[in-house]
Amino acid sequence: MALRIVANRPDPALLGLPWSTPLEEWTEHVVPLPRGLSRHVVRIIRLGDATYAVKETVEDIAFREYRMLRDLQRMGLPAVLAQGVVTGRVDEHGEELPAALLTQHLQFSLPYRSLFSHGLTADNLPSLVDAMVVLLVRLHLADFYWGDVSLSNVLFRRDAGGFAAYLVDAETGELKSHLSTRLREHDLTVATENVFAELLDLQASDSLDHEVQALDIVEMLRERYDALWSELTGAEEFATHEMWRIEQRVERLNDLGFDVDELDIVTDWDGEKIRIQPKVVELGHHQRELQALTGLHVEDAQARRMLNDIAAFTAHFDLGREDRSLVAAKWLNQTYEPILAMIPAEARGKLEPAEIFHEILVHRWYLSERAGHAVDLLETARDYIDTVLREKPDEKVTTEEE
């Protein structure tokens, strides 16, 4: 049987991997990165500058998940990137081995268990729930039925003190022409059941405070899902003299980080009432705004924090009459880049640069409150690097050169 590799961006180094050896026996190229729970054998490997997750599974399922992940990528949805599928594997005795699905490792991401081992506490659970809710709502808005919603099938990246969630396992997922309410509810029910069990498991391993009521957390998940879904898709009716409410609804969605790409506006027969309903909404409002101004691509909450700092920079230097793009360029050159340049090489794998910048802003608030006056940002950065950042665990795979 001939070895076959189907890949969207072929990496010649893939041919040199020990495909004739069962994945659970691999040692070369394997990096000790934390992995989520899986019913499959999974290994994370490093090839040159690239890092991949390799999963053994049935050939048909591997190709199905590969294509599903590629569809989600084309739609701009938060999921790991599919790299390829390897089939035709046989061992040294000619016995068939499972197919392998390769995905790109998501830098600075961690499974939920590792987050708790890295210091996450019960106080962070609402942020974790919010990230999962936003992920599930975004997928449902795109008519994607997940079928196996759980913390184990998600990777989390830090986002300005909160989290952003990414789908990892699309094995049971389906893209529908229209996602019914029944299927949405089923996904939500599966999510609450799985998260409930996962929280109990964390408590059983003493990774989570036993005082936490798992039932309260899953009820919070359902409530926040319903609230966000209603805000993003619900209809709103008002009188014609209240047209300002259209702009107000759009601003509320922008505050949540969503842009309205399509709005359905209907008037009644005598033109006295107006009914509006968002039809197409997309997360990334602040992300796109920051990228247009600075070229930086970060998570949405990080972008919002940085936009606020640009606004403070504008006010401090009285630059309100200047072109906003020019002001953003000055902020980039005089604030953001000098701060990042202060981070020593050995600490650059601790957090994403945008998250470090966010934490420095938070650190300045604490230092200023303690000092009774505004502390200089560069002084804050030095103190943060020495007293906080160096103590954090690495959350990024780094090469020896880095």
Side-chain angles (χ1 to χ4, degrees):
M1 184 181 294
L3 187 72
R4 178 190 178 200
I5 300 178
V6 176
N8 62 339
R9 292 180 182 176
D11 184 345
L14 293 176
L15 292 170
L17 291 173
W19 296 115
S20 60
T21 303
L23 187 57
E24 63 183 355
E25 298 176 12
W26 284 22
T27 55
E28 189 178 1
H29 302 294
V30 174
V31 291
L33 275 175
R35 307 187 304 270
L37 296 179
S38 175
R39 53 185 170 271
H40 303 283
V41 177
V42 178
R43 294 291 182 269
I44 298 176
I45 62 168
R46 185 70 183 235
L47 289 177
D49 292 333
T51 308
Y52 305 110
V54 186
K55 177 173 74 173
E56 283 187 336
T57 185
V58 177
E59 180 176 332
D60 289 346
I61 294 176
F63 275 112
R64 184 180 182 281
E65 186 170 5
Y66 170 74
R67 295 186 181 106
M68 182 61 65
L69 288 172
R70 293 206 65 194
D71 286 341
L72 295 178
Q73 179 187 354
R74 281 190 285 267
M75 297 168 71
L77 292 168
V80 293
L81 301 180
Q83 174 67 25
V85 175
V86 180
T87 60
R89 298 175 64 209
V90 293
D91 65 16
E92 59 183 3
H93 304 295
E95 297 293 326
E96 289 189 25
L97 293 174
L101 171 70
L102 289 90
T103 56
Q104 293 181 28
H105 173 68
L106 185 64
Q107 289 283 22
F108 290 103
S109 67
L110 289 170
Y112 77 100
R113 287 177 172 274
S114 296
L115 283 170
F116 281 95
S117 68
H118 281 198
L120 204 70
T121 67
D123 292 339
N124 301 112
L125 278 172
S127 295
L128 213 63
V129 167
D130 282 342
M132 194 162 184
V133 163
V134 170
L135 172 62
L136 189 55
V137 166
R138 288 188 68 187
L139 293 172
H140 285 172
L141 287 170
D143 296 312
F144 178 81
Y145 167 67
W146 196 340
D148 191 15
V149 190
S150 69
L151 291 171
S152 297
N153 288 336
V154 174
L155 283 174
F156 294 93
R157 297 176 76 182
R158 299 185 188 275
D159 185 13
F163 298 95
Y166 289 76
L167 178 146
V168 175
D169 193 328
E171 189 174 299
T172 57
E174 297 178 54
L175 278 170
K176 303 286 189 180
S177 57
H178 172 70
L179 186 65
S180 67
T181 300
R182 182 180 63 82
L183 285 178
R184 279 199 310 107
E185 283 295 323
H186 183 265
D187 255 356
L188 190 54
T189 298
V190 169
T192 55
E193 291 173 351
N194 284 340
V195 170
F196 182 79
E198 288 164 328
L199 292 176
L200 293 183
D201 191 45
L202 282 174
Q203 290 177 323
S205 63
D206 293 325
S207 300
L208 179 64
D209 190 338
H210 289 262
E211 298 301 314
V212 171
Q213 297 299 311
L215 186 59
D216 292 343
I217 301 301
V218 297
E219 286 178 354
M220 178 198 304
L221 191 156
R222 177 176 286 276
E223 289 169 1
R224 294 190 176 185
Y225 175 93
D226 289 339
L228 182 58
W229 184 264
S230 176
E231 184 63 54
L232 295 179
T233 66
E236 186 176 349
E237 190 173 287
F238 48 86
T240 52
H241 67 272
E242 298 178 298
M243 294 292 285
W244 52 269
R245 289 177 60 176
I246 296 177
E247 185 176 350
Q248 184 185 61
R249 179 69 177 275
V250 172
E251 287 178 352
R252 285 207 311 271
L253 295 178
N254 289 166
D255 286 342
L256 290 170
F258 288 83
D259 279 323
V260 181
D261 289 341
E262 188 176 308
L263 191 65
D264 190 10
I265 304 175
V266 180
T267 62
D268 62 4
W269 66 273
D270 58 3
E272 291 186 359
K273 292 285 185 181
I274 292 177
R275 180 180 179 274
I276 62 170
Q277 182 174 22
K279 301 298 289 185
V280 181
V281 292
E282 183 181 2
L283 185 66
H285 172 76
H286 306 106
Q287 198 176 49
R288 286 185 286 273
E289 184 179 354
L290 181 73
Q291 190 165 15
L293 286 171
T294 65
L296 297 173
H297 181 73
V298 301
E299 297 291 350
D300 201 67
Q302 292 169 344
R304 182 172 186 170
R305 188 66 192 267
M306 293 161 80
L307 288 168
N308 287 341
D309 198 60
I310 292 173
F313 178 89
T314 303
H316 180 76
F317 292 102
D318 194 22
L319 301 173
R321 290 178 295 278
E322 290 198 25
D323 182 271
R324 197 160 176 244
S325 296
L326 295 177
V327 174
K330 288 182 180 180
W331 171 85
L332 200 63
N333 293 329
Q334 298 176 24
T335 300
Y336 185 72
E337 291 176 348
I339 290 293
L340 295 188
M342 296 173 64
I343 302 168
E346 66 273 14
R348 289 176 187 165
K350 304 289 186 181
L351 294 170
E352 283 185 290
E355 191 66 17
I356 290 177
F357 187 77
H358 156 75
E359 292 206 351
I360 288 172
L361 295 180
V362 174
H363 194 65
R364 180 173 61 175
W365 186 87
Y366 286 118
L367 291 183
S368 299
E369 185 180 48
R370 191 166 63 198
H373 60 82
V375 176
D376 178 73
L377 190 58
L378 293 180
E379 181 184 338
T380 299
R382 281 190 288 270
D383 187 79
Y384 168 83
I385 291 168
D386 291 338
T387 64
V388 180
L389 185 61
R390 292 183 189 277
E391 302 303 315
K392 289 181 176 288
D394 280 5
E395 295 188 4
K396 175 180 180 287
V397 183
T398 58
T399 62
E400 292 181 1
E401 292 75 22
E402 292 175 326

